Amino acid sequence: MNTRVDVVVVGAGLSGLSAARSLSRGGFHVAVLEARDRVGARVLSVALEGRTVDLGGQWIGPGQDRAYRLAAEAGVSLCATHTAGQTMYRLDGRRGQGGSIPPLGPIALLDAHRIQRRLDRLTHEATSQPPSAERTLDAVSAESWLRSVAWTRGARAFWKLLLEAGACATAAEVSTLAIAHQLKTMGGTGSLETAEQDFMVGGAGQLAKQLMVEISDCVYLGEPVQHIAHSAEGVSVVTEQRAWQAFAVIVAMPPALAARITYNPILPALRDGLTQRIGQGAVIKCLCMYEHPFWREDGLSGALLDATGPITATLDGTASTDGPGVLVALATGTHARTLGTKRPARRREVVLDALTRAFGPAAAQPMAYLDHDWSADEWARGGYGAIPAPGVLSEFGPMLTAPIGRIFWAGTETASAWRNYMEGALESGERAAYQVASHLDAKAETRP
């Protein structure tokens, strides 16, 4: 086997596959090295009672143009997420039903809208402030910021829950600047309501399969990268099986996992400082399949937002009107970490008890149940994306995407559009491929 290529891509998630396809189309000879025995990484489609369901990334919405184009290219049918009916809320110790806004009192409702406007203004200003202002914002956790701006407990609890569900972490763990940057890549708070507008019939894994069509002979599974040696002349990427020689390497992995590869020479202190301080959020995704979507008969949308746990949020994941109903339940942050300590059978009991309290006795008897703890996944070790704690972005943020010699970085954590979403993974792969192609073309290095 020829182990000399133009570019090695480490990781066959959507970001790595997107980078590899872009480079291959540009005439570069690529090898994609994946530790798992499958492609897709945090996109994981599996069979459940004869239906394909998603245990990983699932939803797309307006503005996520790359994902929509790729789905159309693959001939994938889309299903609109069912939203008709009431959403269940449990905030500040109180239960209630409402639309996209919880059933708050008039003052708390006004406060919730005011906080949204403050967040949007913060988002607009976050990337245009001088470094000193960014440092001030980055020093404050999202929890502290909410406490400083909220008038009412109800509005604060609502926005705290929304931010925590999206971050897969507590509001105290993530900086206000990180939240602002995340929302900036999504186009503001308005996108939160539509980010899960559609999902793919047959699973989001079809996106990875479509990316593979042109590069399937360049992807090597079960080949975890252990070491990267880099110099002015090129890179050597070492796995258990062999050493690959290339002009450049794209590491398409979460920063915390990229740090587990050894590098020679060692990476700069700022890059190492970043990876020491930026971890992954925690999430457990649970799929409960029923004979039919019974919650719709009760006038419920299937959506739940619960600040007290153990389930943080649910959505209706039913793909057809005449098939079984699927409730998708997500435990995030502290709730996920606590739930993850329980044995699988007990975890199932806890989840179904929570759904029964929310949706009634029918939720206690699913025809099938499946869950996946992403923090316990060897090659993910966490949720949708990285969680910058207070102080990390202002000090180390540029190192997320800054090339180090011939080493380039991809992954949804590095995206400038829809960070921590599948769209962000696709965008980051394209950006890293462009960086590599520009670098190699500038050096006029020829294909071997």
Side-chain angles (χ1 to χ4, degrees):
M1 177 187 293
N2 179 17
T3 56
R4 176 168 290 280
V5 293
D6 293 326
V7 184
V8 170
V9 177
V10 182
L14 295 186
S15 58
L17 294 175
S18 172
R21 186 171 82 158
S22 295
L23 286 167
S24 179
R25 287 179 170 180
F28 293 92
H29 185 197
V30 181
V32 182
L33 310 181
E34 170 56 47
R36 298 174 176 86
D37 60 0
R38 63 174 180 84
V39 298
R42 284 172 282 183
V43 172
L44 175 58
S45 298
V46 298
L48 185 65
E49 293 294 316
R51 306 274 174 155
T52 301
V53 293
D54 285 308
L55 278 172
Q58 179 171 354
W59 288 280
I60 58 178
Q64 300 178 39
D65 299 334
R66 292 174 182 82
Y68 276 108
R69 283 198 301 269
L70 190 58
E73 183 182 319
V76 175
S77 297
L78 299 178
C79 179
T81 305
H82 178 81
T83 57
Q86 295 286 290
T87 295
M88 306 285 289
Y89 291 94
R90 192 176 181 189
L91 297 169
D92 200 24
R94 300 177 182 177
R95 294 179 180 271
Q97 300 179 14
S100 58
I101 298 297
L104 300 171
I107 295 178
L109 189 60
L110 176 64
D111 192 22
H113 285 296
R114 188 184 63 86
I115 292 171
Q116 182 174 9
R117 291 194 299 272
R118 288 286 298 269
L119 272 171
D120 279 327
R121 185 163 68 248
L122 200 66
T123 297
H124 177 71
E125 296 172 351
T127 55
S128 58
Q129 297 186 65
S132 58
E134 282 204 352
R135 286 181 182 277
T136 299
L137 191 60
D138 197 29
V140 179
S141 72
E143 170 101 27
S144 296
W145 182 84
L146 279 172
R147 289 187 177 277
S148 71
V149 300
W151 293 339
T152 62
R153 290 175 58 183
R156 183 176 71 241
F158 172 58
W159 274 104
K160 182 174 183 288
L161 177 55
L162 282 184
L163 297 181
E164 290 183 341
C168 294
T170 67
E173 292 177 279
V174 60
S175 86
T176 305
L177 182 65
I179 293 292
H181 278 206
Q182 167 77 32
L183 290 171
K184 179 83 170 180
T185 70
M186 299 166 59
T189 61
S191 62
L192 294 173
E193 192 172 338
T194 59
E196 286 82 34
Q197 176 179 285
D198 301 304
F199 61 96
M200 283 149 263
V201 179
Q206 295 169 100
L207 298 183
K209 290 181 180 178
Q210 183 61 29
L211 289 169
M212 281 276 290
V213 168
E214 299 173 36
I215 57 170
S216 59
D217 60 341
C218 303
V219 179
Y220 300 85
L221 302 179
E223 195 155 339
V225 170
Q226 300 173 325
H227 179 73
I228 296 175
H230 55 111
S231 68
E233 286 70 43
V235 298
S236 177
V237 182
V238 181
T239 72
E240 291 180 354
Q241 293 87 342
R242 61 202 130 209
W244 295 83
Q245 309 302 318
F247 292 125
V249 60
I250 296 175
V251 181
M253 301 168 64
L257 291 185
R260 298 181 185 184
I261 299 171
T262 60
Y263 300 85
N264 183 29
I266 61 173
L267 300 182
L270 282 177
R271 173 70 194 189
D272 194 53
L274 170 74
T275 55
Q276 287 182 40
R277 292 164 174 81
I278 189 165
Q280 297 295 106
V283 62
I284 298 177
K285 186 172 184 179
C286 314
L287 303 175
C288 301
M289 182 176 285
Y290 301 90
E291 295 289 344
H292 65 284
F294 64 86
W295 50 91
R296 298 182 186 180
E297 299 168 359
D298 298 327
L300 300 175
S301 66
L304 163 73
L305 283 171
D306 189 340
T308 59
I311 294 302
T312 310
T314 67
L315 283 170
D316 187 328
T318 306
S320 65
T321 57
D322 57 352
V326 178
L327 266 181
V328 179
L330 299 166
T332 62
T334 298
H335 302 312
R337 289 190 283 266
T338 301
L339 197 58
T341 64
K342 303 184 185 302
R343 289 177 295 183
R346 178 55 183 157
R347 189 159 67 208
R348 181 182 187 276
E349 290 177 3
V350 171
V351 171
L352 293 181
D353 284 347
L355 295 181
T356 300
R357 288 194 300 271
F359 295 100
Q365 300 295 329
M367 59 186 285
Y369 172 92
L370 195 62
D371 67 32
H372 191 78
D373 182 355
W374 284 96
S375 295
D377 187 303
E378 180 181 7
W379 304 111
R381 303 317 307 260
Y384 317 139
I387 307 303
V392 172
L393 279 186
S394 58
E395 189 73 19
F396 305 99
M399 300 308 295
L400 273 170
T401 57
I404 298 171
R406 293 173 179 267
I407 303 175
F408 299 79
W409 312 100
T412 191
E413 295 84 1
T414 71
S416 61
W418 290 92
R419 184 174 297 171
N420 296 350
Y421 284 78
M422 293 188 290
E423 175 73 14
L426 296 170
E427 186 273 338
S428 76
E430 292 178 2
R431 183 261 308 151
Y434 176 80
Q435 286 180 310
V436 168
S438 298
H439 177 87
L440 296 186
D441 286 345
K443 291 184 173 293
E445 289 172 323
T446 57
R447 325 294 192 249

